[in-house]
Coordinates of all heavy atoms in Angstrom, one line a residue:
M1 N 0.8 -1.2 0.0 CA 0.0 0.0 0.0 C 0.9 1.3 0.0 O 1.8 1.4 0.8 CB -0.9 0.0 1.2 CG -2.1 0.9 1.1 SD -3.2 0.8 2.5 CE -3.5 2.5 2.8
K2 N 0.5 2.1 -0.9 CA 1.3 3.4 -1.0 C 0.7 4.5 -0.3 O -0.5 4.8 -0.4 CB 1.4 3.7 -2.5 CG 2.8 4.4 -2.8 CD 2.9 4.6 -4.3 CE 2.9 6.0 -4.7 NZ 2.9 6.3 -6.1
T3 N 1.4 5.2 0.6 CA 0.9 6.3 1.3 C 1.4 7.6 0.6 O 2.6 7.8 0.4 CB 1.3 6.3 2.8 OG1 2.7 6.1 2.9 CG2 0.6 5.2 3.6
T4 N 0.4 8.5 0.4 CA 0.8 9.7 -0.3 C 0.9 10.8 0.8 O 0.1 11.0 1.7 CB -0.2 10.2 -1.3 OG1 -1.5 10.0 -0.7 CG2 -0.1 9.3 -2.6
N5 N 2.0 11.5 0.8 CA 2.3 12.5 1.8 C 2.0 13.9 1.1 O 2.8 14.6 0.6 CB 3.8 12.4 2.2 CG 4.0 13.3 3.4 OD1 3.0 13.7 4.1 ND2 5.2 13.6 3.7
K6 N 0.7 14.2 1.2 CA 0.3 15.5 0.6 C 0.4 16.7 1.5 O 0.2 16.5 2.7 CB -1.2 15.4 0.2 CG -1.4 14.7 -1.2 CD -2.9 14.7 -1.5 CE -3.2 13.9 -2.7 NZ -4.6 13.7 -2.9
K7 N 0.8 17.8 1.0 CA 0.8 19.0 1.8 C -0.4 19.8 1.4 O -0.4 20.5 0.3 CB 2.1 19.8 1.5 CG 3.3 19.2 2.2 CD 4.5 20.0 1.9 CE 5.8 19.4 2.5 NZ 7.0 20.1 2.0
P8 N -1.4 19.8 2.2 CA -2.7 20.5 1.8 C -2.5 22.0 1.7 O -3.3 22.6 1.0 CB -3.7 20.1 2.9 CG -2.8 19.7 4.1 CD -1.6 19.1 3.5
T9 N -1.6 22.6 2.4 CA -1.4 24.0 2.3 C -0.8 24.5 1.0 O -1.0 25.7 0.6 CB -0.6 24.6 3.5 OG1 0.6 23.8 3.5 CG2 -1.3 24.5 4.8
A10 N -0.1 23.6 0.3 CA 0.5 24.0 -1.0 C -0.5 24.2 -2.1 O -0.3 25.0 -3.0 CB 1.6 23.0 -1.4
I11 N -1.6 23.4 -2.1 CA -2.6 23.4 -3.1 C -3.3 24.8 -3.1 O -3.4 25.4 -4.2 CB -3.5 22.2 -3.1 CG1 -2.7 20.9 -3.3 CG2 -4.6 22.3 -4.1 CD1 -3.3 19.7 -2.7
P12 N -3.9 25.2 -2.0 CA -4.6 26.5 -2.1 C -3.8 27.7 -2.6 O -4.4 28.5 -3.3 CB -5.0 26.7 -0.6 CG -5.0 25.4 0.0 CD -3.9 24.6 -0.7
K13 N -2.5 27.7 -2.3 CA -1.7 28.8 -2.8 C -1.6 28.8 -4.3 O -1.7 29.8 -4.9 CB -0.3 28.8 -2.1 CG -0.3 29.5 -0.8 CD 1.0 29.6 -0.2 CE 1.0 30.1 1.2 NZ 2.2 30.1 1.9
I14 N -1.4 27.6 -4.8 CA -1.4 27.5 -6.3 C -2.7 27.9 -6.9 O -2.8 28.6 -7.9 CB -1.0 26.0 -6.7 CG1 0.5 25.8 -6.3 CG2 -1.2 25.8 -8.2 CD1 0.8 24.3 -6.2
Y15 N -3.8 27.4 -6.2 CA -5.1 27.7 -6.7 C -5.3 29.2 -6.8 O -5.8 29.8 -7.8 CB -6.2 27.1 -5.7 CG -7.6 27.4 -6.1 CD1 -8.3 26.4 -6.9 CD2 -8.3 28.5 -5.7 CE1 -9.6 26.6 -7.3 CE2 -9.6 28.8 -6.1 CZ -10.2 27.8 -6.9 OH -11.5 28.0 -7.3
C16 N -4.9 30.0 -5.7 CA -5.1 31.4 -5.7 C -4.2 32.1 -6.8 O -4.7 33.1 -7.4 CB -4.7 32.0 -4.3 SG -5.9 31.5 -3.0
T17 N -3.0 31.6 -7.0 CA -2.2 32.1 -8.0 C -2.8 32.0 -9.4 O -2.8 32.9 -10.2 CB -0.8 31.4 -8.0 OG1 -0.4 31.3 -6.7 CG2 0.2 32.2 -8.8
L18 N -3.5 30.8 -9.6 CA -4.1 30.5 -10.9 C -5.4 31.2 -11.1 O -5.7 31.8 -12.1 CB -4.3 29.0 -11.1 CG -3.0 28.2 -11.3 CD1 -3.3 26.7 -11.3 CD2 -2.3 28.6 -12.6
F19 N -6.3 31.2 -10.1 CA -7.7 31.6 -10.2 C -8.0 32.9 -9.4 O -9.1 33.4 -9.5 CB -8.6 30.5 -9.8 CG -8.4 29.2 -10.5 CD1 -7.8 28.1 -9.9 CD2 -8.9 29.1 -11.9 CE1 -7.7 26.9 -10.6 CE2 -8.7 27.9 -12.6 CZ -8.1 26.8 -12.0
G20 N -7.0 33.3 -8.6 CA -7.3 34.5 -7.8 C -7.9 34.1 -6.5 O -8.4 33.0 -6.3
H21 N -7.8 35.0 -5.5 CA -8.3 34.7 -4.2 C -9.9 34.6 -4.2 O -10.5 35.3 -5.0 CB -7.9 35.7 -3.2 CG -6.4 35.8 -3.0 ND1 -5.7 34.9 -2.3 CD2 -5.5 36.7 -3.5 CE1 -4.4 35.2 -2.4 NE2 -4.3 36.3 -3.1
D22 N -10.4 33.8 -3.3 CA -11.8 33.7 -3.1 C -12.2 34.2 -1.8 O -12.3 33.5 -0.8 CB -12.2 32.2 -3.3 CG -13.7 32.0 -3.5 OD1 -14.4 33.0 -3.5 OD2 -14.1 30.9 -3.6
Y23 N -12.4 35.5 -1.7 CA -12.7 36.2 -0.4 C -14.1 36.0 0.0 O -15.0 36.2 -0.8 CB -12.3 37.7 -0.5 CG -10.8 37.9 -0.7 CD1 -10.3 38.5 -1.8 CD2 -10.0 37.6 0.4 CE1 -9.0 38.7 -2.0 CE2 -8.6 37.8 0.2 CZ -8.1 38.3 -1.0 OH -6.8 38.5 -1.1
Q24 N -14.3 35.8 1.3 CA -15.6 35.7 1.9 C -15.6 36.6 3.1 O -14.6 36.8 3.8 CB -15.9 34.3 2.3 CG -16.1 33.4 1.1 CD -16.5 32.0 1.4 OE1 -16.2 31.5 2.5 NE2 -17.0 31.3 0.4
V25 N -16.8 37.3 3.3 CA -16.9 38.2 4.4 C -16.9 37.4 5.7 O -17.7 36.5 5.9 CB -18.2 39.0 4.3 CG1 -18.4 39.9 5.5 CG2 -18.2 39.8 3.0
T26 N -15.9 37.7 6.6 CA -15.8 37.0 7.8 C -16.3 37.9 9.0 O -16.6 37.4 10.1 CB -14.3 36.6 8.1 OG1 -13.5 37.7 7.8 CG2 -14.0 35.4 7.3
K27 N -16.4 39.2 8.8 CA -16.8 40.1 9.8 C -17.3 41.4 9.3 O -16.7 42.0 8.4 CB -15.6 40.4 10.7 CG -16.0 41.0 12.1 CD -14.7 41.3 12.8 CE -14.9 41.4 14.3 NZ -13.6 41.7 14.9
K28 N -18.5 41.8 9.8 CA -19.0 43.1 9.4 C -18.7 44.1 10.5 O -19.2 44.0 11.6 CB -20.5 43.0 9.2 CG -20.9 42.4 7.8 CD -22.4 42.3 7.6 CE -22.7 41.5 6.3 NZ -24.1 41.3 6.2
V29 N -17.8 45.0 10.2 CA -17.4 45.9 11.2 C -18.4 47.1 11.3 O -18.9 47.4 12.4 CB -15.9 46.5 10.9 CG1 -15.5 47.4 12.0 CG2 -15.0 45.3 10.8
T30 N -18.6 47.7 10.2 CA -19.7 48.8 10.1 C -20.5 48.5 8.9 O -20.2 47.5 8.2 CB -19.1 50.2 10.1 OG1 -18.4 50.4 8.9 CG2 -18.2 50.5 11.3
Y31 N -21.4 49.4 8.5 CA -22.1 49.2 7.2 C -21.2 49.2 6.0 O -21.4 48.5 5.0 CB -23.1 50.3 7.0 CG -24.3 50.3 8.0 CD1 -24.5 51.4 8.9 CD2 -25.1 49.2 8.1 CE1 -25.5 51.3 9.8 CE2 -26.1 49.1 9.0 CZ -26.3 50.2 9.9 OH -27.4 50.2 10.8
H32 N -20.1 49.9 6.1 CA -19.2 50.1 5.0 C -17.9 49.3 5.1 O -17.3 49.0 4.1 CB -18.9 51.6 4.8 CG -20.1 52.4 4.7 ND1 -20.9 52.4 3.6 CD2 -20.6 53.3 5.6 CE1 -21.9 53.2 3.9 NE2 -21.8 53.8 5.0
V33 N -17.5 49.0 6.3 CA -16.2 48.3 6.5 C -16.5 46.8 6.9 O -17.2 46.5 7.8 CB -15.4 49.0 7.6 CG1 -14.1 48.2 7.9 CG2 -15.1 50.4 7.3
K34 N -15.8 46.0 6.1 CA -15.9 44.5 6.3 C -14.6 43.9 6.3 O -13.6 44.4 5.8 CB -16.8 43.9 5.3 CG -18.3 44.3 5.3 CD -19.0 43.6 4.2 CE -20.5 44.0 4.1 NZ -20.5 45.3 3.4
E35 N -14.5 42.7 6.9 CA -13.2 42.0 6.9 C -13.5 40.7 6.0 O -14.5 40.1 6.2 CB -12.8 41.6 8.3 CG -12.2 42.7 9.1 CD -11.8 42.4 10.5 OE1 -11.7 41.2 10.8 OE2 -11.5 43.3 11.3
Y36 N -12.5 40.4 5.2 CA -12.6 39.3 4.3 C -11.5 38.3 4.5 O -10.4 38.7 4.8 CB -12.5 39.8 2.8 CG -13.5 40.8 2.4 CD1 -13.3 42.2 2.6 CD2 -14.7 40.5 1.9 CE1 -14.2 43.1 2.3 CE2 -15.7 41.4 1.5 CZ -15.4 42.8 1.7 OH -16.3 43.7 1.3
T37 N -11.8 37.0 4.3 CA -10.8 36.0 4.4 C -10.9 35.2 3.1 O -12.0 34.8 2.7 CB -10.9 35.1 5.6 OG1 -10.9 36.0 6.8 CG2 -9.7 34.2 5.8
C38 N -9.7 34.9 2.5 CA -9.7 34.0 1.4 C -9.9 32.6 1.9 O -9.1 32.1 2.8 CB -8.4 34.1 0.6 SG -8.2 32.9 -0.7
C39 N -10.9 31.9 1.4 CA -11.2 30.5 1.9 C -10.1 29.5 1.5 O -10.2 28.4 2.0 CB -12.6 30.1 1.5 SG -12.9 30.0 -0.2
H40 N -9.2 29.8 0.6 CA -8.2 28.9 0.2 C -6.9 29.1 0.9 O -6.3 28.1 1.4 CB -8.0 29.0 -1.3 CG -9.2 28.7 -2.1 ND1 -9.7 27.4 -2.2 CD2 -10.0 29.5 -2.8 CE1 -10.8 27.5 -2.9 NE2 -11.0 28.7 -3.3
C41 N -6.4 30.3 1.0 CA -5.1 30.5 1.6 C -5.1 31.3 2.9 O -4.1 31.6 3.6 CB -4.1 31.2 0.6 SG -4.6 32.9 0.3
K42 N -6.4 31.7 3.3 CA -6.6 32.4 4.6 C -6.0 33.8 4.7 O -5.8 34.4 5.7 CB -6.1 31.6 5.8 CG -6.6 30.2 5.9 CD -8.1 30.2 6.1 CE -8.7 28.7 5.9 NZ -10.1 28.7 5.6
R43 N -5.7 34.4 3.5 CA -5.3 35.8 3.4 C -6.4 36.7 3.8 O -7.6 36.4 3.5 CB -4.8 36.1 2.0 CG -4.1 37.4 1.9 CD -3.6 37.5 0.5 NE -3.0 38.9 0.3 CZ -3.3 39.7 -0.6 NH1 -4.2 39.4 -1.5 NH2 -2.7 40.9 -0.6
Q44 N -6.1 37.7 4.6 CA -7.2 38.6 5.1 C -7.1 40.0 4.5 O -6.0 40.5 4.4 CB -7.2 38.6 6.6 CG -7.6 37.3 7.3 CD -7.7 37.4 8.8 OE1 -6.7 37.7 9.4 NE2 -8.9 37.2 9.3
L45 N -8.2 40.5 4.2 CA -8.3 41.9 3.7 C -9.4 42.6 4.5 O -10.2 42.0 5.1 CB -8.8 41.9 2.2 CG -7.9 41.4 1.1 CD1 -8.5 41.6 -0.2 CD2 -6.5 42.0 1.2
T46 N -9.3 43.9 4.4 CA -10.3 44.8 5.0 C -10.6 46.0 4.1 O -9.8 46.3 3.2 CB -10.0 45.2 6.4 OG1 -11.1 45.9 7.0 CG2 -8.8 46.2 6.4
T47 N -11.7 46.7 4.3 CA -12.0 47.9 3.6 C -11.4 49.0 4.3 O -11.5 49.1 5.5 CB -13.6 48.1 3.5 OG1 -14.2 46.8 3.6 CG2 -13.9 48.8 2.3
N48 N -10.7 49.9 3.6 CA -10.2 51.1 4.3 C -11.1 52.3 4.2 O -12.2 52.1 3.6 CB -8.8 51.4 3.8 CG -8.7 52.0 2.4 OD1 -9.8 52.1 1.8 ND2 -7.6 52.3 1.9
S49 N -10.8 53.4 4.7 CA -11.7 54.6 4.7 C -12.0 55.1 3.3 O -13.0 55.7 3.1 CB -11.0 55.7 5.5 OG -9.7 55.9 5.0
N50 N -11.2 54.7 2.3 CA -11.5 55.1 0.9 C -12.5 54.1 0.2 O -12.9 54.2 -1.0 CB -10.3 55.2 0.0 CG -9.3 56.3 0.6 OD1 -9.8 57.3 1.1 ND2 -8.1 56.0 0.6
G51 N -12.7 53.0 0.9 CA -13.6 51.9 0.3 C -12.9 50.9 -0.5 O -13.5 50.1 -1.1
S52 N -11.6 51.0 -0.5 CA -10.8 50.0 -1.3 C -10.3 48.9 -0.4 O -10.2 49.1 0.8 CB -9.7 50.6 -2.1 OG -9.0 51.5 -1.3
L53 N -10.0 47.8 -1.0 CA -9.5 46.6 -0.2 C -8.0 46.7 0.1 O -7.2 46.9 -0.9 CB -9.9 45.3 -0.9 CG -11.4 45.0 -0.9 CD1 -11.6 43.8 -1.8 CD2 -11.9 44.8 0.5
I54 N -7.7 46.4 1.3 CA -6.2 46.4 1.7 C -6.0 45.2 2.6 O -6.9 44.6 3.1 CB -5.8 47.7 2.4 CG1 -6.9 48.1 3.4 CG2 -5.6 48.8 1.4 CD1 -6.3 48.9 4.6
E55 N -4.7 44.9 2.7 CA -4.3 43.8 3.6 C -4.7 44.1 5.0 O -4.5 45.2 5.5 CB -2.8 43.6 3.5 CG -2.3 42.3 4.0 CD -2.0 41.3 3.0 OE1 -1.8 41.7 1.8 OE2 -2.1 40.1 3.3
L56 N -5.2 43.1 5.7 CA -5.6 43.2 7.1 C -4.4 43.0 8.0 O -4.1 41.9 8.4 CB -6.8 42.3 7.4 CG -7.4 42.4 8.9 CD1 -8.0 43.7 9.1 CD2 -8.4 41.3 9.1
T57 N -3.8 44.1 8.3 CA -2.6 44.0 9.2 C -3.1 44.2 10.6 O -4.2 44.6 10.9 CB -1.6 45.2 8.9 OG1 -2.4 46.4 9.0 CG2 -1.1 45.1 7.4
P58 N -2.2 43.8 11.6 CA -2.6 44.0 13.0 C -3.1 45.4 13.3 O -4.0 45.6 14.1 CB -1.4 43.6 13.8 CG -0.6 42.7 12.9 CD -0.9 43.2 11.5
K59 N -2.5 46.4 12.7 CA -2.8 47.8 12.8 C -4.3 48.0 12.4 O -5.1 48.7 13.1 CB -1.9 48.7 12.0 CG -2.2 50.2 12.1 CD -1.5 50.7 13.3 CE -2.0 52.2 13.5 NZ -1.7 52.7 14.8
F60 N -4.7 47.5 11.3 CA -6.1 47.6 10.8 C -7.1 46.8 11.6 O -8.2 47.2 11.8 CB -6.2 47.3 9.3 CG -5.8 48.5 8.5 CD1 -4.6 48.6 7.9 CD2 -6.8 49.5 8.3 CE1 -4.3 49.7 7.1 CE2 -6.5 50.6 7.5 CZ -5.2 50.7 6.9
K61 N -6.6 45.7 12.2 CA -7.5 44.9 13.1 C -7.8 45.8 14.3 O -9.0 45.8 14.7 CB -6.7 43.7 13.5 CG -7.0 42.5 12.6 CD -6.5 41.2 13.2 CE -6.7 40.1 12.3 NZ -6.1 38.8 12.8
E62 N -6.8 46.5 14.8 CA -7.0 47.4 15.9 C -8.0 48.5 15.5 O -9.0 48.8 16.3 CB -5.7 48.1 16.2 CG -5.4 48.2 17.7 CD -3.9 48.6 17.9 OE1 -3.8 49.9 18.0 OE2 -3.0 47.8 17.9
I63 N -7.8 49.1 14.4 CA -8.7 50.2 13.9 C -10.1 49.7 13.8 O -11.1 50.3 14.2 CB -8.2 50.8 12.6 CG1 -6.9 51.6 12.8 CG2 -9.3 51.7 12.0 CD1 -6.2 51.9 11.5
N64 N -10.3 48.5 13.2 CA -11.6 47.9 13.0 C -12.3 47.6 14.3 O -13.5 47.7 14.4 CB -11.5 46.6 12.2 CG -11.3 46.9 10.7 OD1 -11.3 48.0 10.3 ND2 -11.1 45.9 9.9
A65 N -11.5 47.1 15.3 CA -12.1 46.8 16.6 C -12.7 48.1 17.2 O -13.7 48.1 17.8 CB -11.0 46.3 17.5
I66 N -12.0 49.2 17.0 CA -12.5 50.5 17.5 C -13.7 50.9 16.8 O -14.7 51.3 17.4 CB -11.3 51.6 17.5 CG1 -10.2 51.2 18.4 CG2 -11.9 53.0 17.8 CD1 -8.9 52.0 18.0
L67 N -13.6 50.8 15.4 CA -14.8 51.2 14.6 C -16.0 50.4 15.0 O -17.1 50.9 15.1 CB -14.5 50.9 13.1 CG -13.6 51.9 12.4 CD1 -13.3 51.4 11.0 CD2 -14.4 53.3 12.3
E68 N -15.8 49.1 15.2 CA -16.9 48.2 15.6 C -17.5 48.6 16.9 O -18.7 48.6 17.0 CB -16.3 46.7 15.7 CG -17.4 45.7 15.7 CD -16.8 44.3 15.9 OE1 -15.7 44.1 16.4 OE2 -17.6 43.3 15.7
H69 N -16.7 49.0 17.8 CA -17.1 49.4 19.1 C -18.0 50.7 19.0 O -19.1 50.7 19.6 CB -15.9 49.7 20.1 CG -16.3 50.2 21.4 ND1 -16.9 49.3 22.4 CD2 -16.3 51.4 22.0 CE1 -17.1 50.0 23.4 NE2 -16.8 51.3 23.2
I70 N -17.5 51.6 18.2 CA -18.3 52.9 18.0 C -19.6 52.6 17.3 O -20.6 53.1 17.7 CB -17.4 53.9 17.1 CG1 -16.2 54.3 17.9 CG2 -18.3 55.1 16.7 CD1 -15.1 55.0 17.1
H71 N -19.5 51.7 16.3 CA -20.7 51.3 15.5 C -21.8 50.7 16.5 O -22.9 51.1 16.4 CB -20.3 50.4 14.4 CG -21.4 50.0 13.5 ND1 -22.0 50.9 12.7 CD2 -22.0 48.8 13.3 CE1 -23.0 50.2 12.0 NE2 -23.0 49.0 12.4
H72 N -21.3 49.8 17.3 CA -22.2 49.1 18.2 C -22.9 50.1 19.2 O -24.0 50.0 19.5 CB -21.5 48.0 19.0 CG -21.5 46.7 18.3 ND1 -22.5 45.8 18.4 CD2 -20.7 46.2 17.3 CE1 -22.3 44.8 17.6 NE2 -21.2 45.0 16.9
T73 N -22.0 51.0 19.7 CA -22.5 52.0 20.7 C -23.6 52.9 20.0 O -24.7 53.1 20.6 CB -21.4 52.9 21.1 OG1 -20.3 52.1 21.5 CG2 -21.8 53.8 22.3
R74 N -23.4 53.3 18.8 CA -24.4 54.0 18.0 C -25.7 53.2 17.8 O -26.8 53.8 18.0 CB -23.8 54.4 16.6 CG -23.0 55.7 16.7 CD -22.6 56.2 15.3 NE -21.5 57.1 15.4 CZ -20.7 57.3 14.3 NH1 -20.9 56.7 13.2 NH2 -19.8 58.2 14.4
M75 N -25.5 52.0 17.5 CA -26.7 51.1 17.2 C -27.5 51.0 18.5 O -28.7 51.1 18.5 CB -26.2 49.7 16.8 CG -25.5 49.6 15.5 SD -26.6 49.6 14.1 CE -27.1 47.8 14.1
E76 N -26.8 50.8 19.6 CA -27.5 50.7 20.9 C -28.3 52.0 21.2 O -29.4 51.9 21.7 CB -26.5 50.4 22.0 CG -26.0 49.0 22.0 CD -27.0 47.9 22.1 OE1 -27.9 48.0 22.9 OE2 -27.0 47.0 21.2
R77 N -27.6 53.1 21.0 CA -28.3 54.4 21.2 C -29.5 54.6 20.4 O -30.5 55.1 20.8 CB -27.3 55.5 21.0 CG -26.4 55.8 22.2 CD -25.6 57.0 22.1 NE -24.5 57.0 23.0 CZ -23.4 57.6 22.8 NH1 -23.1 58.3 21.7 NH2 -22.4 57.6 23.7
S78 N -29.4 54.2 19.1 CA -30.5 54.4 18.2 C -31.7 53.5 18.6 O -32.8 53.8 18.4 CB -30.1 54.2 16.7 OG -29.6 52.9 16.5
K79 N -31.3 52.3 19.1 CA -32.3 51.4 19.6 C -33.1 52.0 20.8 O -34.3 52.0 20.8 CB -31.7 50.1 20.0 CG -32.1 48.9 19.2 CD -31.5 47.6 19.8 CE -30.4 47.0 19.0 NZ -29.7 45.9 19.7
E80 N -32.3 52.6 21.7 CA -32.9 53.2 22.9 C -33.9 54.3 22.4 O -35.0 54.4 23.0 CB -31.8 53.8 23.7 CG -31.3 52.9 24.8 CD -30.1 53.4 25.5 OE1 -30.1 54.6 25.8 OE2 -29.2 52.6 25.8
K81 N -33.4 55.1 21.5 CA -34.2 56.2 21.0 C -35.5 55.7 20.4 O -36.6 56.2 20.6 CB -33.5 57.0 19.9 CG -32.9 58.3 20.3 CD -32.3 59.0 19.2 CE -31.3 60.0 19.6 NZ -30.6 60.6 18.4
A82 N -35.4 54.6 19.6 CA -36.6 54.0 19.0 C -37.6 53.5 20.1 O -38.8 53.7 19.9 CB -36.2 52.9 18.1
I83 N -37.0 52.9 21.1 CA -37.9 52.4 22.2 C -38.6 53.6 22.9 O -39.8 53.6 23.1 CB -37.1 51.6 23.2 CG1 -36.6 50.3 22.5 CG2 -37.9 51.3 24.5 CD1 -35.5 49.5 23.3
L84 N -37.8 54.6 23.2 CA -38.3 55.8 23.9 C -39.4 56.5 23.1 O -40.5 56.8 23.6 CB -37.2 56.8 24.2 CG -36.3 56.5 25.4 CD1 -35.2 57.5 25.4 CD2 -37.1 56.5 26.7
S85 N -39.2 56.6 21.8 CA -40.1 57.3 20.9 C -41.4 56.5 20.7 O -42.5 57.0 20.5 CB -39.5 57.7 19.5 OG -39.1 56.5 18.9
S86 N -41.3 55.2 20.9 CA -42.5 54.4 20.8 C -43.3 54.4 22.1 O -44.5 54.2 22.1 CB -42.1 52.9 20.5 OG -41.5 52.3 21.6
I87 N -42.7 54.8 23.2 CA -43.3 54.9 24.5 C -44.1 56.3 24.6 O -45.2 56.3 24.9 CB -42.4 54.7 25.7 CG1 -41.8 53.2 25.7 CG2 -43.1 55.0 27.0 CD1 -40.7 53.0 26.6
Y88 N -43.3 57.3 24.3 CA -43.8 58.7 24.4 C -44.6 59.1 23.2 O -44.1 59.0 22.1 CB -42.7 59.7 24.8 CG -42.1 59.3 26.1 CD1 -40.8 58.7 26.2 CD2 -42.8 59.4 27.3 CE1 -40.3 58.4 27.4 CE2 -42.3 59.0 28.5 CZ -41.0 58.5 28.6 OH -40.4 58.1 29.7
Ligands
LIG1 ZN1 -6.2 33.1 -1.5

C-alpha cells in the first residue's frame, strides 16, 4: 500500500495564483467596513476609509475593533431612541 504525503497548504496557494483569491466576508465591522478572508489561503483583507480593499494588518485589526465598538454604541443608542419614541 502506497501512502501519499500530501501537503494540503501548498494546493490552495497554487489555486489562488491561478484563479485568484476567493474572499468571503468574515466580519461586518460597520455598514461600509468589512473583513474578508480567502477561503483557500486564509489571506485577510479589509475595507479602508476610501472603500478599497487592503491587507488586514494587526494595525487595521485594531482600527476595525475601535470602529466596531463605536458602531455598536451608536446602534445601541438608536435602539434606545426608538424604544423611547415608541413609548412617548
Ligand atoms: Zn487566496
Side-chain angles (χ1 to χ4, degrees):
M1 202 180 133
K2 214 173 116 187
T3 50
T4 48
N5 192 16
K6 277 184 191 171
K7 283 181 184 172
T9 50
I11 297 157
K13 275 185 186 173
I14 293 163
Y15 183 92
C16 289
T17 315
L18 290 175
F19 304 106
H21 298 284
D22 194 359
Y23 292 114
Q24 289 180 341
V25 178
T26 43
K27 196 181 199 180
K28 282 178 185 174
V29 181
T30 68
Y31 292 121
H32 308 290
V33 180
K34 293 181 185 80
E35 287 179 11
Y36 303 87
T37 306
C38 175
C39 61
H40 300 290
C41 69
K42 307 297 171 200
R43 190 175 176 235
Q44 288 185 300
L45 290 186
T46 187
T47 331
N48 72 0
S49 49
N50 299 322
S52 47
L53 290 173
I54 45 151
E55 193 98 26
L56 183 64
T57 58
K59 181 81 189 165
F60 273 99
K61 270 190 183 178
E62 222 172 90
I63 293 167
N64 282 355
I66 296 162
L67 280 176
E68 196 184 15
H69 180 75
I70 295 166
H71 184 67
H72 272 268
T73 313
R74 276 189 197 155
M75 294 278 279
E76 287 304 310
R77 276 190 198 149
S78 62
K79 245 188 249 169
E80 269 172 39
K81 259 189 202 169
I83 292 164
L84 283 175
S85 60
S86 69
I87 296 167
Y88 299 108

